[in-house]
Amino acid sequence: MFIPLHAIAQNGTDVAVEPVYSSAIIITELQTGAAAASDEFIELYNVSAVPVDVSGWQVRYANAGVAQTTALATLGDSQALVIPPKHYLVLHTAGVQLSVDVASQVYAAKLSSADKVVALFRPNAATCNLEVQDAVAWGASGGGEGPALQALTTGDRLVQRYRNAQGGYIDTNNNASDFELKTVSRDAAVLGVAAGATPGGDNALAAMPAQNSGAASSLAAIPIAGCTVIDPALPDNEPGQDTPQPDPALPDDPGPDGDNADLPTPEPMPRVANSELQQPSISELLPNPASPLSDAADEFIELYNPNDVPYDLTGFVLVAGSRQYAFTAETILAPQAYQAFFSAQTHLSLSNTSGQVRLIDPQGTLVSQSDAYADAKDNFAWAYMAQAWQWTTTPTPNAPNLVTAPMPKVKTVKAAAATQNKTTAKSTATQKTPKAASTKVTTDAKPVAANVVVRNPLHPGVLALVGSFALLYGAYEYRSDVANRIHQFRSYRAARREARQSAAGRRGD
């Protein structure tokens, strides 16, 4: 949809009117080469007044005469990526160095200066398709919006969207009216950016051609692999389950005897206004339920409503990997309540090895996301508690989180045990080291006290060193006793020697 840049007021005055864009995110500039042929960039801009989550969006391209597009880059690379209002995101190759502070993402060079179409695709959970949001084509290529830009015969390309006198970008769904195609001079390129290019900044104002309305891109939608279309008419039924039929024994109109006259007529649930309410948040995930539970039915994603009033989830989307689940009309979160949405209903599959879940509002804005997790063990829940995401062995669907820390496994350890008695004067020289006892330490899956420490076995050299120090300390401590013993021994030897000599003298007389 497009509103012309100028409209005639009732009094005949020509007044400027801001254009209404067909997409919140538009392509504003791209380059197919500069100092080198691989110096490419594609600039996107959020024209809306709210942040837009572009995680999982794709930029794709096709050559002239080729109907099927090829992926050039997936925004966010499987991580959350949000473009703030009136801000840019620049996708670029490694040779392009940005001179402004702007959100960016690097991709491998694919574009050539020949005839081309480049398009931005957004995932649609309701159709399980990637659908075109904006496209620009030049030369002989089709698939852009309205007529393609004129063909240029030589040189690399710089494509820039026009801006009006008020500074807003032009979007008439007509490539020939919205964009200017220029030939790039490689000699004037700086840091991989062609002269006149403005990646991450506003395009220069230029003389615009006549503004003519065009048409939406004719590029085909791309099916999302692994995505399941959710039938809003059967939100809670398993595939193949029949829709419940009214009981014929309970007619809609009261009988002649008035048996049903006192039955109340069900009132439709009133729609809840979410204005000025806090957004709901993801509070718990169960990626790997243990047997007898199953992944197909018992995995769950839990949301929490922090408000004192109900919250309407109509149009919100849960995103897990490549699959999405759109909440159907009148899905209401109770006040201050936790509510788990199981895989039997959502058909979302949570990876056991690594994953992350996001909650997107109907405008495409990221509302809440879990931290990424890895290696989900049987029946371990990934829960938000104490201002952090952490594993718990106690899943609590539809209830406040209860974190019980997983018990760490203690590996088999060979422990060397050695005992040493206090050294005494008489035992210093006869101290013995007991033989090492080898034991295996194992534990069951029970909580371990915080003060339990598993010690590694001591090296024999350490034990020998300790024993040597003990001997030296004993010798020092009892040095007087040792000296006395030595003196007594020497005195005893001298007395024995004198006695022998005296005995020998007497025999000689």
Side-chain angles (χ1 to χ4, degrees):
M1 178 181 180
F2 170 75
I3 297 178
L5 295 177
H6 291 77
I8 306 300
Q10 291 183 354
N11 59 5
T13 304
D14 188 16
V15 282
V17 177
E18 282 295 321
V20 174
Y21 299 94
S22 56
S23 172
I25 308 297
I26 61 174
I27 300 170
T28 51
E29 188 176 15
L30 64 87
Q31 171 185 289
T32 65
S38 59
D39 291 338
E40 304 172 9
F41 75 80
I42 300 170
E43 179 188 76
L44 306 178
Y45 183 68
N46 179 3
V47 299
S48 73
V50 296
V52 176
D53 180 22
V54 295
S55 309
W57 294 33
Q58 286 189 2
V59 174
R60 304 176 69 88
Y61 73 96
N63 299 321
V66 178
Q68 184 66 39
T69 57
T70 301
L72 185 68
T74 299
L75 305 190
D77 288 334
S78 302
Q79 298 181 359
L81 179 59
V82 177
I83 305 180
K86 310 298 181 184
H87 277 65
Y88 294 96
L89 169 66
V90 179
L91 310 176
H92 64 91
T93 54
V96 175
Q97 300 182 39
L98 304 177
S99 59
V100 296
D101 185 12
V102 63
S104 63
Q105 180 176 321
V106 177
Y107 70 92
K110 296 285 182 66
L111 301 178
S112 66
S113 59
D115 306 333
K116 196 76 64 181
V117 57
V118 175
L120 175 65
F121 285 76
R122 173 184 177 178
N124 186 332
T127 63
C128 281
N129 285 327
L130 288 166
E131 299 176 350
V132 180
Q133 298 299 293
D134 196 17
V136 56
W138 61 94
S141 291
E145 295 180 344
L149 297 173
Q150 61 184 0
L152 297 178
T153 56
T154 60
D156 294 312
R157 304 288 184 261
L158 177 63
V159 179
Q160 291 183 314
R161 187 182 287 271
Y162 289 113
R163 294 168 60 215
N164 60 24
Q166 291 74 37
Y169 284 108
I170 304 301
D171 185 16
T172 65
N173 291 343
N174 186 314
N175 288 168
S177 297
D178 294 344
F179 291 94
E180 182 179 13
L181 180 63
K182 303 176 182 178
T183 300
V184 173
S185 172
R186 291 192 173 186
D187 295 337
V190 179
L191 301 176
V193 178
T198 59
D202 295 337
N203 295 348
L205 293 171
M208 296 182 295
Q211 300 297 293
N212 300 305
S213 297
S217 170
S218 60
L219 295 175
I222 311 297
I224 300 174
C227 180
T228 301
V229 177
I230 305 301
D231 185 354
L234 298 172
D236 298 322
N237 292 345
E238 291 290 335
Q241 182 176 344
D242 294 333
T243 303
Q245 300 297 321
D247 188 346
L250 298 174
D252 294 333
D253 297 324
D257 55 359
D259 289 341
N260 297 328
D262 295 333
L263 295 178
T265 302
E267 293 291 338
M269 182 179 294
R271 188 172 181 82
V272 177
N274 294 334
S275 58
E276 301 182 1
L277 295 181
Q278 297 183 62
Q279 299 276 30
S281 60
I282 300 172
S283 54
E284 187 178 357
L285 313 175
L286 182 63
N288 189 14
S291 180
L293 304 180
S294 68
D295 291 348
D298 300 299
E299 291 182 358
F300 70 78
I301 300 169
E302 183 187 73
L303 302 182
Y304 173 66
N305 176 14
N307 301 283
D308 295 327
V309 295
Y311 196 97
D312 187 0
L313 287 176
T314 302
F316 280 69
V317 176
L318 283 173
V319 181
S322 62
R323 308 190 73 175
Q324 305 183 24
Y325 171 73
F327 289 101
T328 55
E330 312 303 348
T331 303
I332 306 298
L333 279 179
Q336 299 285 336
Y338 296 84
Q339 184 169 344
F341 297 90
F342 289 86
S343 51
Q345 172 186 347
T346 64
H347 304 290
L348 294 177
S349 178
L350 302 179
S351 171
N352 293 347
T353 56
S354 63
Q356 186 178 34
V357 175
R358 302 194 302 274
L359 178 64
I360 310 298
D361 72 7
Q363 287 72 45
T365 304
L366 176 67
V367 170
S368 176
Q369 66 179 350
S370 70
D371 281 359
Y373 64 84
D375 298 328
K377 297 179 175 58
D378 287 352
N379 223 44
F380 277 37
W382 187 235
Y384 185 78
M385 192 172 183
Q387 305 300 313
W389 283 92
Q390 53 191 302
W391 289 113
T392 174
T393 57
T394 309
T396 56
N398 302 313
N401 295 342
L402 177 62
V403 173
T404 51
M407 199 221 43
K409 277 190 176 180
V410 180
K411 296 181 179 179
T412 301
V413 177
K414 290 185 178 180
T419 61
Q420 180 176 344
N421 297 326
K422 293 184 178 180
T423 307
T424 63
K426 295 182 179 180
S427 65
T428 301
T430 59
Q431 180 179 352
K432 295 182 180 180
T433 302
K435 294 182 179 179
S438 178
T439 60
K440 292 185 178 180
V441 181
T442 57
T443 65
D444 295 326
K446 298 178 181 178
V448 178
N451 61 350
V452 173
V453 179
V454 178
R455 300 185 183 276
N456 292 326
L458 293 176
H459 193 277
V462 175
L463 294 175
L465 181 61
V466 173
S468 299
F469 276 114
L471 290 173
L472 291 173
Y473 175 79
Y476 174 80
E477 184 70 20
Y478 298 100
R479 61 188 182 280
S480 299
D481 293 341
V482 173
N484 289 334
R485 289 297 184 93
I486 294 174
H487 178 72
Q488 292 174 2
F489 178 75
R490 295 177 67 178
S491 299
Y492 174 77
R493 292 285 301 273
R496 289 284 303 274
R497 188 165 46 248
E498 290 176 359
R500 286 196 300 270
Q501 290 176 354
S502 297
R506 287 194 297 270
R507 288 195 296 269
D509 295 342

